[in-house]
Amino acid sequence: MSDKENKLKTFFSKMKINFENQMQNIASCKKQFIWTVILTFIVMGITCLAVFFASVQGAEKVMVPNVVGKNLTEAILEMGEKELYPKLILKYSDDINDAGKVLEQNPPAGSIVKAYRRMTLTVSRGISLEEIEDYVGKPIDETLKRLDVLYRGEYANVKVAKPCYTKSEEAKGTIIAQFPEGGTSVYEDVTLYLIVSNGTEETLVTVPGVEGLSISALQNKINEGNLIFDITPVNVSGKEKGGIVKNQEIQGGNAVSPYTRVSLSMTVKDDSSASTRQGVMETNLPEFLYPMLIRLVEIDSYGHTKTLINSYHTGGHLTFPYEASNGSTLRLYVRDELVNEIVIQ
């Protein structure tokens, strides 16, 4: 056997011995290794628990303020200073003056709690009336004062809309109609609409100049006044801008009777790449005995609601301009009743 072969044999023999020695060492340290792993996990668990309880117990402790008898806004501000947050429960009470006030709180005042906790506040919705009173024939000024007492606060179950004034044989300032009618049972939240006499002498209104206005500006004019705009859409393309009033039949500055119809033409551009769509909602309604409050509401794809039109109308043919986002829904209400709905696509 050559020297080279002898050297290789000797080398592999040593490697075998070393390997066997290492295996023997590992076998002898097996118990020690297992206990080391177990102790490591125990230490890690204790450390995690210590961090968890430190974070839970680390919130600053505060004294709960006394907010009973205070209005809700004031109560929330006072709680915010203590880093406490409200959970609201609404209920009716027997005292008219309780509307919007905190009736009860939990935890009670003086309790020591951790910051960022929720406090339960019981808030008065005011008194609960079983039916709407009859206000026809009564003066509007006195009636509004009484309604303010009965239904004050944002949580009242009856909301009072802005009164509508119209020509009538009744004395000026007298309520001539209401919706819902007197004696109507109140089972849920309702809006009360009052029609008021403006006397026998007709008060003229001035037609605004709307040529060149955008859709949103025209909507504001509709909401401000008591005129009816009959809008004809004119489709445009190219560089011509959409959503602009081109002309009006009765020029701005003229004095006309309330709820006179004013014809307009408005450009509409159908751009499929745009995030919004322009148009005119058209609906045929019955002729109303009195002007009725009509709302056009946009509900976008996320459920957010925006009121575009909130104006009185005498019925018949109705046209409202809109510019709404793709995927949104337009809903038209007469008082609180849904009469038309379209999806913008």
Side-chain angles (χ1 to χ4, degrees), residues 208-273:
V210 296
E211 289 185 9
L213 293 186
S214 64
I215 290 177
S216 60
L218 179 57
Q219 289 172 344
N220 290 336
K221 291 297 182 183
I222 295 173
N223 292 334
E224 290 172 3
N226 47 2
L227 295 170
I228 298 175
F229 292 97
D230 291 324
I231 305 167
T232 301
V234 178
N235 294 321
V236 295
S237 59
K239 295 183 178 180
E240 189 170 358
K241 191 173 182 180
I244 301 296
V245 178
K246 290 192 68 174
N247 55 60
Q248 60 185 98
E249 182 183 42
I250 303 176
Q251 296 301 309
N254 285 303
V256 297
S257 300
Y259 305 106
T260 294
R261 290 182 174 270
V262 180
S263 296
L264 308 176
S265 64
M266 184 187 75
T267 60
V268 173
K269 195 168 188 177
D270 186 13
D271 186 355
S272 59
S273 63

Side-chain angles (χ1 to χ4, degrees), residues 135-289:
Y135 300 107
V136 175
K138 297 179 180 179
I140 183 62
D141 292 339
E142 295 179 8
T143 299
L144 290 178
K145 290 178 182 178
R146 174 165 176 74
L147 290 171
D148 180 61
V149 172
L150 290 176
Y151 306 116
R152 68 176 53 161
E154 69 176 296
Y155 299 108
N157 64 330
V158 176
K159 303 293 184 184
V160 182
K162 183 177 75 172
C164 173
Y165 291 83
T166 187
K167 184 179 178 181
S168 167
E169 296 294 329
E170 298 291 335
K172 187 174 183 178
T174 303
I175 298 174
I176 58 178
Q178 69 177 72
F179 306 95
E181 298 177 348
T184 302
S185 298
V186 180
Y187 297 107
E188 56 187 0
D189 293 355
V190 298
T191 302
L192 177 62
Y193 300 91
L194 300 174
I195 311 299
V196 184
S197 172
N198 214 13
T200 55
E201 293 185 9
E202 190 172 62
T203 302
L204 300 180
V205 296
T206 302
V207 177
V210 296
E211 289 185 9
L213 293 186
S214 64
I215 290 177
S216 60
L218 179 57
Q219 289 172 344
N220 290 336
K221 291 297 182 183
I222 295 173
N223 292 334
E224 290 172 3
N226 47 2
L227 295 170
I228 298 175
F229 292 97
D230 291 324
I231 305 167
T232 301
V234 178
N235 294 321
V236 295
S237 59
K239 295 183 178 180
E240 189 170 358
K241 191 173 182 180
I244 301 296
V245 178
K246 290 192 68 174
N247 55 60
Q248 60 185 98
E249 182 183 42
I250 303 176
Q251 296 301 309
N254 285 303
V256 297
S257 300
Y259 305 106
T260 294
R261 290 182 174 270
V262 180
S263 296
L264 308 176
S265 64
M266 184 187 75
T267 60
V268 173
K269 195 168 188 177
D270 186 13
D271 186 355
S272 59
S273 63
S275 60
T276 60
R277 293 296 180 91
Q278 302 169 346
V280 176
M281 173 178 270
E282 296 191 48
T283 304
N284 289 313
L285 301 172
E287 297 286 347
F288 303 138
L289 182 60

